Amino acid sequence: MAVLRELVVFPSKCFRGVRSFFFSTPLSQNGSLKLNESVSKDGHALDFEQSDTKKISKAMKSYMERAKIHDNFIKQQLHEYNIGKRHLANMMGKDPEFFTQEDVDEAISYLFPSGLYDPRARPMMKHPDEIYPKRKAAEFDVNGRPYHSLFYTSKPNYYTLMHDLAVKFKQLDRHEDKIISRGIQDQKPTELFLFGSEWIPKQKIENVLLESLTDAQYANLIKTFERFSQHPYSAIEKNFIMQFRRQLAAQVEIQQVPELMRDESGRPYMTYNARRKTSNATVKVTGQGTGVISINGTDIHFFQREQDKKQIIFPLQFSDMLGKVDVAATVDGIGTSAQSGAIRLGISMCLRSFVNAETIERMRLAGLLSFDPRTRERKKPGQAGAREKFTWKKR
Amino acid sequence: MSLSGVLRKLPNFNAIHSHLNFLGRIARQQPYSMYQPFVKEPTYNIEKLKELIESGEAKKREFVPVKAAKSDHNVSVFHDELTSKFINMVMEKGHKEIATKLVETAYMKIKQMQLAKYYKATTDEERAEIELNPIVIFHKALENCKPVLQLTPIKRGGATYQVPIPIKENRARFLAMKWMILESREKERKVHFPERLAYELLDAFNNTGKVVKRKQDLHKQCETNRAYAHYRWG
């Protein structure tokens, strides 16, 4: 309150936007005296202050009411969800205590079968947290003072994260300086292995921070993270960094190599159905062979072009199985390239069961185990073809 | 194979009048590919693969999906990457078979001409000098045709100057191949493309001929425009 006394002397312009009660009283000599008087007399709230706190708390009141209503609503939904789960368990004849979300999904799809295409349109029963978007808790107190120091940036959580990164960066620098001063320079710091994961997308970060970001802000955040993770001692903050990274699909399907089957004569074999464009190929590779290749009944000369024949031999030569296995393939569809590509993929996938893990990885790096997704590009309206445009006329 | 992680969703095309604009934006930001941006190119060359694995680069690619191998990739002894590129450049309207035939006929022609010289030679020294492998001749010829600088138009004060700038490796290779093909496609069609190509390649191998001359003309122009070189930096 001592501060107030001094400030009252200055013209009203300085206090714009700070507190409304500076405007409510006329800034006359009498007024200032009055103020001083009321301050000096007693410590408790002044008349005009009371009326203004009432104004503020009305806004706060409605805010608090809305927050309460929402909280109650979520509680109600949670209660209903739990009850509903128990009912479902009873209906399905399962134990209500150990009824998981997967069981719930199964029950719902059984009891409410839907022919709708989009899974999101079908009936579902999930935990309210998954359905109703999370809101931030009250960001300011009864007097309107925000809790967070960065509240007026309108994205306090985002800027806090950025500040945290900066602080951690400085900490890592200090750590590095310490190590250098101790003379342990030769020790190579453990490298942070980030391959196999990528930065979580914008949507996910928005869900975590409960704030919407612009593309530029997201890009800035990722740039900062990249710079941070390139610090030689960033491995210390591995847990913090991995919170913001998601694992890439480790090529699990390729690693799940199927076991070899045995035919009547005891020879090992493997089959695979491969596709390329509109061609489908069913390929059977039999071990303990002499290199016999049969395509739709005929030998490799089913294909007239050198290129197609080379494609069939490519995976066999690459994995050194050229004269060691027999290949029997049936293929349909239009286009020799598509047919030979499909058979090549089929042979490669079958050969996985015959070769060791190292060779499988080499085949994968050579692109032999990847499905070729390229298809004919569609024609667009307003153009003659996929890319060809109509004749451009200046006028 | 999980396709959903590897493929990208195609953009929607709405109004016709904003369509070209939309495509333009897409072209600048993302290439129109069926693969996601992080999918890596395949490496089928056995030596390069060995290098990758030994250097430890391959470990970093463990979690990165790889694109499918192309139709002209293979590990045959007769396979040459540069020749594949060249065949693609010779090809018109997607007729790969015809382009392959033309280039292979050219190679055969080169082999025949060099063999003729070889059998005509009398001493061992002469025979040692004659190169018989058309692929080696092709590589050397391209090397001799690659320019070192190129001209780029830069506008300064209303006038457009041709400024010499350093050239990238890919661009130099492209120009060499392009010139070679253009010179082999001459107006009078009495001598067909494969024969002309064979003659041009042999000339370029000996550092003579039209294509090498074209390269040297470009170098001369760069030399005369030396004064404008600083315009590159404004």
Side-chain angles (χ1 to χ4, degrees), chain B:
Chain B
M1 303 156 279
S2 75
L3 283 178
S4 54
V6 170
L7 297 185
R8 62 162 66 224
K9 293 190 182 118
L10 294 175
N12 293 316
F13 294 95
N14 301 316
I16 295 170
H17 62 272
S18 65
H19 156 67
L20 290 170
N21 230 9
F22 188 67
L23 255 191
R25 259 187 273 134
I26 288 288
R28 256 178 274 132
Q29 284 165 26
Q30 305 151 333
Y32 204 89
S33 168
M34 292 294 278
Y35 293 106
Q36 291 256 9
F38 55 79
V39 182
K40 292 263 184 247
E41 296 290 329
T43 325
Y44 61 98
N45 190 326
I46 294 186
E47 274 96 46
K48 281 194 189 153
L49 256 183
K50 227 182 180 181
E51 269 176 58
L52 263 185
I53 292 167
E54 278 165 15
S55 69
E57 276 285 321
K59 198 167 181 245
K60 294 178 185 172
R61 294 185 189 195
E62 240 176 65
F63 297 96
V64 183
V66 174
K67 290 187 188 174
K70 295 262 169 79
S71 299
D72 50 6
H73 293 178
N74 63 65
V75 282
S76 158
V77 221
F78 309 107
H79 178 73
D80 181 34
E81 215 177 304
L82 214 57
T83 308
S84 290
K85 263 260 173 307
F86 193 64
I87 289 169
N88 282 343
M89 288 191 66
V90 170
M91 171 171 66
E92 273 177 6
K93 291 184 180 175
H95 297 304
K96 188 71 159 266
E97 223 178 312
I98 295 173
T100 328
K101 225 188 208 177
L102 290 172
V103 174
E104 285 183 355
T105 317
Y107 281 177
M108 198 170 71
K109 256 282 162 192
I110 293 174
K111 188 66 180 268
Q112 284 171 348
M113 289 196 274
Q114 292 297 84
L115 267 179
K117 270 192 228 165
Y118 188 84
Y119 292 136
K120 251 192 185 174
T122 43
T123 61
D124 275 338
E125 288 158 353
E126 274 180 58
R127 282 196 209 107
E129 272 176 31
I130 297 169
E131 179 56 58
L132 289 171
N133 191 350
I135 304 242
V136 171
I137 291 175
F138 173 64
H139 282 232
K140 184 87 200 307
L142 271 194
E143 275 300 315
N144 292 343
C145 295
K146 279 188 192 170
V148 168
L149 290 170
Q150 65 174 353
L151 293 170
T152 181
I154 291 177
K155 250 192 168 179
R156 289 270 178 274
T160 315
Y161 301 100
Q162 292 289 325
V163 177
I165 58 164
I167 201 171
K168 285 185 185 163
E169 177 62 37
N170 282 350
R171 176 89 183 138
R173 187 190 63 196
F174 167 78
L175 281 176
M177 286 186 184
K178 194 81 190 176
W179 291 339
M180 189 66 73
I181 294 164
L182 284 175
E183 295 298 337
S184 310
R185 282 182 193 152
E186 280 294 277
K187 284 169 193 169
E188 31 152 300
R189 300 297 178 98
K190 283 182 192 166
V191 182
H192 291 293
F193 178 84
E195 278 94 33
R196 282 208 74 110
L197 181 60
Y199 290 129
E200 292 294 343
L201 281 174
L202 276 175
D203 282 340
F205 177 70
N206 298 319
N207 237 332
T208 54
K210 291 187 187 167
V211 191
V212 171
K213 184 174 176 298
R214 193 160 172 171
K215 176 195 84 163
Q216 285 164 349
D217 285 344
L218 177 61
H219 284 176
K220 271 185 211 152
Q221 265 224 296
C222 291
E223 185 66 34
T224 50
N225 284 18
R226 250 175 80 171
Y228 304 134
H230 67 285
Y231 282 162
R232 192 177 151 214
W233 294 280

Side-chain angles (χ1 to χ4, degrees), chain A residues 99-281:
Chain A
F99 207 57
T100 60
Q101 183 57 45
E102 278 150 11
D103 296 329
V104 170
D105 292 336
E106 225 184 284
I108 294 283
S109 61
Y110 170 72
L111 293 167
F112 301 97
S114 165
L116 294 174
Y117 176 77
D118 195 345
R120 291 174 295 178
R122 295 177 205 153
M124 65 165 92
M125 192 171 109
K126 301 228 186 266
H127 196 278
D129 282 344
E130 287 178 44
I131 297 178
Y132 299 104
K134 284 214 164 106
R135 284 191 198 181
K136 278 189 188 170
E139 291 172 87
F140 35 86
D141 64 7
V142 192
N143 295 319
R145 265 204 198 86
Y147 290 122
H148 206 296
S149 60
L150 294 175
F151 171 78
Y152 288 110
T153 62
S154 79
K155 286 173 199 184
N157 291 341
Y158 167 71
Y159 286 106
T160 315
L161 181 56
M162 296 290 275
H163 277 291
D164 280 345
L165 275 169
V167 164
K168 282 184 197 284
F169 202 96
K170 290 225 169 92
Q171 281 173 351
L172 289 181
D173 276 339
R174 264 184 266 133
H175 178 80
E176 193 180 2
D177 290 338
K178 237 196 258 177
I179 291 208
I180 289 170
S181 70
R182 281 191 206 153
I184 324 171
Q185 278 176 57
D186 293 329
Q187 255 182 28
K188 244 195 171 178
T190 48
E191 224 184 272
L192 185 66
F193 193 74
L194 287 178
F195 303 105
S197 54
E198 57 173 11
W199 296 114
I200 56 177
K202 182 160 165 266
Q203 190 62 46
K204 289 274 175 340
I205 288 199
E206 284 181 351
N207 292 341
V208 167
L209 299 175
L210 295 172
E211 280 157 16
S212 67
L213 304 177
T214 62
D215 286 343
Q217 283 173 330
Y218 174 72
N220 202 10
L221 180 66
I222 296 300
K223 228 195 304 182
T224 318
F225 262 116
E226 281 282 333
R227 188 85 170 82
F228 181 66
S229 56
Q230 279 162 17
H231 197 283
Y233 290 91
S234 56
I236 297 168
E237 296 285 354
K238 183 175 179 181
N239 291 335
F240 172 69
I241 290 173
M242 290 317 270
Q243 274 172 14
F244 294 91
R245 283 190 82 90
R246 68 169 175 193
Q247 295 295 328
L248 280 178
Q251 312 293 303
V252 181
E253 279 109 354
I254 293 170
Q255 282 157 20
Q256 287 172 353
V257 176
E259 285 279 318
L260 280 173
M261 299 179 273
R262 299 265 159 189
D263 64 6
E264 300 93 48
S265 48
R267 288 169 71 190
Y269 74 93
M270 194 64 231
T271 55
Y272 194 82
N273 292 336
R275 276 194 298 128
R276 166 93 209 268
K277 275 198 207 175
T278 51
S279 283
N280 293 301

Side-chain angles (χ1 to χ4, degrees), chain A residues 217-355:
Chain A
Q217 283 173 330
Y218 174 72
N220 202 10
L221 180 66
I222 296 300
K223 228 195 304 182
T224 318
F225 262 116
E226 281 282 333
R227 188 85 170 82
F228 181 66
S229 56
Q230 279 162 17
H231 197 283
Y233 290 91
S234 56
I236 297 168
E237 296 285 354
K238 183 175 179 181
N239 291 335
F240 172 69
I241 290 173
M242 290 317 270
Q243 274 172 14
F244 294 91
R245 283 190 82 90
R246 68 169 175 193
Q247 295 295 328
L248 280 178
Q251 312 293 303
V252 181
E253 279 109 354
I254 293 170
Q255 282 157 20
Q256 287 172 353
V257 176
E259 285 279 318
L260 280 173
M261 299 179 273
R262 299 265 159 189
D263 64 6
E264 300 93 48
S265 48
R267 288 169 71 190
Y269 74 93
M270 194 64 231
T271 55
Y272 194 82
N273 292 336
R275 276 194 298 128
R276 166 93 209 268
K277 275 198 207 175
T278 51
S279 283
N280 293 301
T282 313
V283 180
K284 181 179 178 186
V285 174
T286 322
Q288 297 164 9
T290 48
V292 174
I293 296 177
S294 128
I295 302 167
N296 276 3
T298 51
D299 68 347
I300 202 168
H301 296 289
F302 172 81
F303 293 115
Q304 271 93 51
R305 288 201 306 180
E306 283 292 319
Q307 184 181 277
D308 296 324
K309 293 178 212 174
K310 282 178 189 170
Q311 286 301 285
I312 308 291
I313 292 174
F314 181 16
L316 296 166
Q317 204 175 4
F318 188 87
S319 54
D320 289 328
M321 301 289 262
L322 198 42
K324 299 174 189 167
V325 291
D326 291 342
V327 174
T330 53
V331 68
D332 65 38
I334 309 164
T336 49
S337 271
Q339 287 173 345
S340 62
I343 295 175
R344 184 190 82 191
L345 179 61
I347 294 175
S348 316
M349 291 306 232
C350 291
L351 281 178
R352 289 181 302 165
S353 313
F354 289 89
V355 295

Side-chain angles (χ1 to χ4, degrees), chain A residues 355-368:
Chain A
V355 295
N356 59 12
E358 203 190 302
T359 315
I360 294 176
E361 182 59 20
R362 280 176 66 238
M363 284 213 288
R364 188 188 76 83
L365 289 172
L368 281 169

